[in-house]
Amino acid sequence: MVEHDVHQQTYSLVKLVVLVCLLFLSACISVEARIRHYQWEVNDEYKSPDCYKKPSIIINGKTPGPTIVDQQGVTTVVEVKNSLFTESLAIHWHGIRQIGTPWADGTEGITQCPVVPADTFIYKFVVDRPGTYLYHAHYGMQRQAGLQGMIKVLVPNGVVEPFSYDHDRNILLTDWYHKSTYEQATGLASLPFVWVGEPQSILIHGRGRFNCSAPSTDATLCNATHPQCTPYTMTVVPGKTYRLRIGSLTALAALSFEIEGHNMTVIEADGHYVEPFVVQNLFIYSGETYSVLIKADQDPTRNYWASTKVVSRNSTTPNGLGIFNYYPNHPRRRPPTIPPVGPRWDDVAPRVDQSVAIKSHKDYIHVPPQTSDRVIVMLNTQNRVNGFMRWSVNNVSFNMPHTPYLIALKHNLLHTFEQTAPPDNYDHENYDIFNVAKNVNATTSNSIYRLKFNTTVDIILQNANTINPNNSETHPWHLHGHDFWVLGYGNGKFNQSIDPKNYNLENPIMKNTIPVHPYGWTALRFRADNPGAWAFHCHIESHFFMGMGVVFEEGIEKVGKLPTSIMGCGESKRFHRP
Amino acid sequence: MVEHDVHQQTYSLVKLVVLVCLLFLSACISVEARIRHYQWEVNDEYKSPDCYKKPSIIINGKTPGPTIVDQQGVTTVVEVKNSLFTESLAIHWHGIRQIGTPWADGTEGITQCPVVPADTFIYKFVVDRPGTYLYHAHYGMQRQAGLQGMIKVLVPNGVVEPFSYDHDRNILLTDWYHKSTYEQATGLASLPFVWVGEPQSILIHGRGRFNCSAPSTDATLCNATHPQCTPYTMTVVPGKTYRLRIGSLTALAALSFEIEGHNMTVIEADGHYVEPFVVQNLFIYSGETYSVLIKADQDPTRNYWASTKVVSRNSTTPNGLGIFNYYPNHPRRRPPTIPPVGPRWDDVAPRVDQSVAIKSHKDYIHVPPQTSDRVIVMLNTQNRVNGFMRWSVNNVSFNMPHTPYLIALKHNLLHTFEQTAPPDNYDHENYDIFNVAKNVNATTSNSIYRLKFNTTVDIILQNANTINPNNSETHPWHLHGHDFWVLGYGNGKFNQSIDPKNYNLENPIMKNTIPVHPYGWTALRFRADNPGAWAFHCHIESHFFMGMGVVFEEGIEKVGKLPTSIMGCGESKRFHRP
């Protein structure tokens, strides 16, 4: 199936390229080459993205790192040199399915060994679908130290998208902590547990503003006039329409984003065209991307606020503010209005409404298989394991093994992880999702779900009460190596005999990241058709660090020869021969 | 030569063991085995050694780590499991010459690749001489994060030392920063430069006391009643004599240590017996160890202060205080007196006096070779390289290569480091050591000094003014793989035609770490008789990080087959087959 699709796609593309070449000969040079090289160096460096100076992990001097912009079908080669002091690293290409290149997924412990300091690792993969994607560290908690950025895959020349716009812009939304990720990780792994707390700032494409006059702020570290914390500005020409690609790679926060006084038409989600709908504010969860159209159709004599706020948590983090600048007003000119306050943090209904509103564009429907071969229900719970605070799926908290699964599976090193399969369900009859569990203890395991190749799998993500009374959080789950169909959302406990009847099997959107709302469930379906080992996890970095994830294996026997560059750790040392 | 010595030593020891066995049969079991195993796990964990909670690097739950106590001749096997989140590590056995095991020296980039997270590295070496030694991280700046401890090598049963005492105690002196070593390293490598500053506390064997009421102290992190910061207490029985082994592994500070009202008789330095002399306070530099005898001969109805203070810097760090507790007084009972103020920080003379006073014990003199084959003068300067702040030797600032020298040399990978030898001298005629250099710029290199095997080498460490007027610092230089004879100290510029005439060639002490006093010089001699690649560097962790070190190679062709466990980085990946 996959190979067939790829061939067909490639064939169509070749036809197209030939056609375009005939029309515009000069435009074809870069397309003909179909390989793009990037050279990146990753360093530790002080940055002041919200005016507060903090050691950050940067790419080529910047965080967010450079935006990768390639046309569909281009082979993207990223040479990453690790110039960190003592830390290894791995970079995940979030939303790129890595068909035929599962070893390039960049997930430490799953698809590769971490890249040690002074080494250069070469990621090579095809950006096979147009759309908006992300990249970020996938080792320890390095993502929130700044090692992240965006990927923009353009349609081939001549291909028309189901909407039109004048300009293409992109912003990455992140939250930012002043404590080091080391300190955070130490706290999460401590007894007594030390929670990371709420972020100090929300950054719009790497720019925020901490209040340097706040009590007990170290004045030697906070500089309100630092050029790195001038507000993000998006300059628009009156009357023009903008495609704004918005990605979120927050460590923790669910966000709402809006441009004061401007509607946004949602047109793309995680690389798939959406049946357009209009919002005033967009809810976006860590790991998601959206494209929206914004027309600069308001009073052109002034600027407007771009504003983003934390939702789903009673957060102390101030809203992130940028400037939507109508040319030729001065880009720093403060809008004359009070910034929008945004939606209430604890109003779940509009967030669920938006989730439900996202359907596939009618001309781009991938019809899902109408039945599935396996249903895995995944109860999301906060637990204790030997006193330590953890997150679990069906009461199993995930631990990373020392030998990456992809290598262990391919080279038959099955003793490197636990072979008893994790459970496909929980005690559905007796578990009360609305209250703190009677027994909050869980176990840990590094066992994985092995999926029959080319089967259809349903996942029901079931939310529940946390370890604290009257609290259920929002978890954005991200699947590597696949997109899934979003079949439905519901409130309360999923009922296997009733709820599937209401699945949207007609025009569901495909995504790679999806929220599970408080006390609710989310149902997904995907085809296990991409040979490899793939992570599926909560995209809140501290939650994954605390065990909130699983790994799927499928078609491992179809995976080609692994490059030795991914080896060198655990039992894969013996295979390492670069 | 080396092999001969080792065999002779082993032979004598066997004779001795047989003798002792005949006398005390039961005492021989442990000696007979002659192998001691240690299992260590290294973690990131919060510690509050001075009441201020900070992520630390610990061994088996502690910093300082466990003290290694073995008898001379025992093969010490330390299995180190790296359970850090994302950092690799390496541990150096400071003062152990590693004769025949140069690969076990634990210096990242020189004798081994760093040990990646989840891996276990096995260090195996013989503690071949009695005395007091140290161990600590030798990668990045992990030492000052807490990864350090002491090694006590006891004489074989029946061997009599040239002094007597009732009890044997040991303490490690360290300085402690509240900022992470990550933040420190980032600052040191930044433009503009951010200096680490003065330490917040001095710890006596891991215990200090920060003033939690100090302005702008985060009250949630500082807990004055935390059990980890109860003061260090040494309980003594009136009338008894104590051997106190004192080591310093400060990141920066030169220290003075004293026990209020008690003289100390210095008897050992860096594993060599000293012709005894009495001091009221002991000056000790990072990387040094001393044994002193203290008799509990004062008023037994009260306790006394143990006090350590920073010298050589105009430091803001409060003195470190412990309690010298006369049994049966309560160990926490506060001495009735004001703690001793200690010597003036800027009085260099008594420090030089102590350096000069340390001679070999008359019955244990290793007579030095009376001439040398090569003289290397090493000018110590603070410099700028492309604007970055650095330290240099003869205007060359050291850079670590990616492939450890030992592997590169043994496997003939000479392209992995610069082959032009670093200079044996500086512009001695024209350089003004008393003023800021006219041109403070230096170059960087990873080239090394290659020494002819079994030759005698003199090193003159020449101090100078730093980059700031009227300032010259104290640098403790540490040599790996060897002890050296301390031939002399002088003030001002070393004069090659006059000063060697005053060398002490009669009874010089042998050491592995030695201070270079402000505006002064220190002359050393050693035999290049230990095949391997060996670091020689300033033991101030940030100075070494900033390039203040060199590497010696000698007899590389005599080094045995390298264990593959040290490989896996740079160009040594191809050899790694564990």
Side-chain angles (χ1 to χ4, degrees), chain A residues 44-46 53 55 85-88 116-119 139-140 182-183 185-187 189-190 194 402 545 570 573 576-578, chain B residues 44-46 53 55 85-88 116-119 139-140 182-183 185-187 189-190 194 402 545 570 573 576-578:
Chain A
D44 295 290
E45 206 174 287
Y46 274 121
K53 190 167 86 168
F85 297 127
T86 52
E87 286 182 274
S88 299
V116 301
D119 263 19
Y139 186 39
Y182 258 79
E183 181 135 16
T186 302
S190 278
V194 182
H402 304 161
F545 183 87
K573 277 186 204 123
H576 196 122
R577 313 245 199 295
Chain B
D44 295 291
E45 205 174 287
Y46 274 121
K53 190 167 86 169
F85 297 126
T86 52
E87 287 182 272
S88 298
V116 301
D119 263 19
Y139 185 41
Y182 258 79
E183 181 135 16
T186 302
S190 279
V194 182
H402 304 160
F545 183 86
K573 276 186 207 121
H576 196 123
R577 312 246 201 296

Side-chain angles (χ1 to χ4, degrees), chain A residues 230-426:
Chain A
T230 53
Y232 172 81
T233 299
M234 175 172 168
T235 299
V236 295
V237 174
K240 297 290 182 188
T241 297
Y242 291 81
R243 175 183 190 167
L244 181 59
R245 299 169 188 259
I246 309 168
S248 170
L249 282 175
T250 53
L252 174 66
L255 297 176
S256 169
F257 176 83
E258 66 188 294
I259 306 285
E260 179 195 13
H262 290 72
N263 285 333
M264 301 186 282
T265 305
V266 180
I267 52 166
E268 182 216 341
D270 295 3
H272 290 275
Y273 298 130
V274 168
E275 184 62 24
F277 65 99
V278 175
V279 296
Q280 276 198 313
N281 69 287
L282 178 78
F283 295 106
I284 183 166
Y285 305 92
S286 182
E288 287 191 320
T289 67
Y290 290 97
S291 284
V292 297
L293 297 182
I294 305 169
K295 190 163 188 197
D297 57 3
Q298 299 298 305
D299 178 1
T301 66
R302 53 163 286 195
N303 291 339
Y304 292 82
W305 294 107
S307 173
T308 175
K309 79 167 279 186
V310 177
V311 291
S312 176
R313 299 184 71 87
N314 191 2
S315 179
T316 54
T317 314
N319 294 358
L321 292 174
I323 293 173
F324 192 74
N325 163 237
Y326 271 76
Y327 183 84
N329 297 305
H330 192 283
R332 303 262 170 81
R333 191 167 140 202
R334 199 182 157 86
T337 41
I338 293 167
V341 293
R344 277 172 52 115
W345 71 268
D346 56 353
D347 194 359
V348 182
R351 302 205 297 273
V352 177
D353 286 350
Q354 179 187 302
S355 292
V356 172
I358 303 171
K359 314 272 192 225
S360 174
H361 189 285
K362 63 180 187 313
D363 300 334
Y364 294 83
I365 294 172
H366 299 262
V367 178
Q370 298 296 298
T371 59
S372 74
D373 301 302
R374 181 174 175 183
V375 178
I376 304 175
V377 183
M378 296 188 171
L379 177 70
N380 289 207
T381 54
Q382 194 179 21
N383 301 85
R384 289 192 196 278
V385 175
N386 301 324
F388 291 91
M389 190 77 86
R390 303 280 296 182
W391 286 90
S392 308
V393 167
N394 296 342
N395 257 34
V396 178
S397 188
F398 179 70
N399 261 354
M400 200 66 86
H402 304 161
T403 308
Y405 292 108
L406 186 63
I407 308 169
L409 289 161
K410 189 73 191 162
H411 289 272
N412 222 27
L413 307 169
L414 297 186
H415 58 284
T416 60
F417 62 95
E418 292 165 49
Q419 292 299 306
T420 315
D424 271 21
N425 215 323
Y426 67 105

Side-chain angles (χ1 to χ4, degrees), chain A residues 29-168:
Chain A
I29 294 160
S30 64
V31 179
E32 280 283 70
R34 301 187 59 73
I35 291 190
R36 260 299 265 291
H37 278 271
Y38 297 86
Q39 284 202 313
W40 287 3
E41 185 173 7
V42 177
N43 288 85
D44 295 290
E45 206 174 287
Y46 274 121
K47 288 288 167 190
S48 303
D50 67 348
C51 306
Y52 188 93
K53 190 167 86 168
K54 182 198 149 171
S56 309
I57 300 184
I58 55 166
I59 301 171
N60 293 355
K62 296 197 308 184
T63 174
T67 300
I68 289 182
V69 184
D70 279 329
Q71 253 182 342
Q72 182 184 6
V74 167
T75 297
T76 303
V77 180
V78 190
E79 283 188 34
V80 181
K81 177 168 189 205
N82 179 359
S83 292
L84 298 175
F85 297 127
T86 52
E87 286 182 274
S88 299
L89 60 77
I91 298 180
H92 168 56
W93 316 94
H94 180 117
I96 309 298
R97 291 169 300 169
Q98 303 289 357
I99 293 166
T101 53
W103 46 76
D105 194 45
T107 43
E108 181 274 332
I110 299 173
T111 65
Q112 71 167 100
C113 294
V115 183
V116 301
D119 263 19
T120 296
F121 188 92
I122 301 174
Y123 289 98
K124 185 174 179 183
F125 52 86
V126 177
V127 291
D128 60 347
R129 289 174 313 150
T132 309
Y133 307 102
L134 304 164
Y135 66 80
H136 58 80
H138 218 291
Y139 186 39
M141 289 172 68
Q142 294 173 338
R143 186 180 95 210
Q144 58 181 283
L147 184 43
Q148 49 195 3
M150 296 186 81
I151 303 172
K152 221 155 91 168
V153 183
L154 310 177
V155 292
N157 298 345
V159 169
V160 176
E161 296 189 284
F163 41 78
S164 60
Y165 51 85
D166 300 298
H167 299 284
D168 188 338

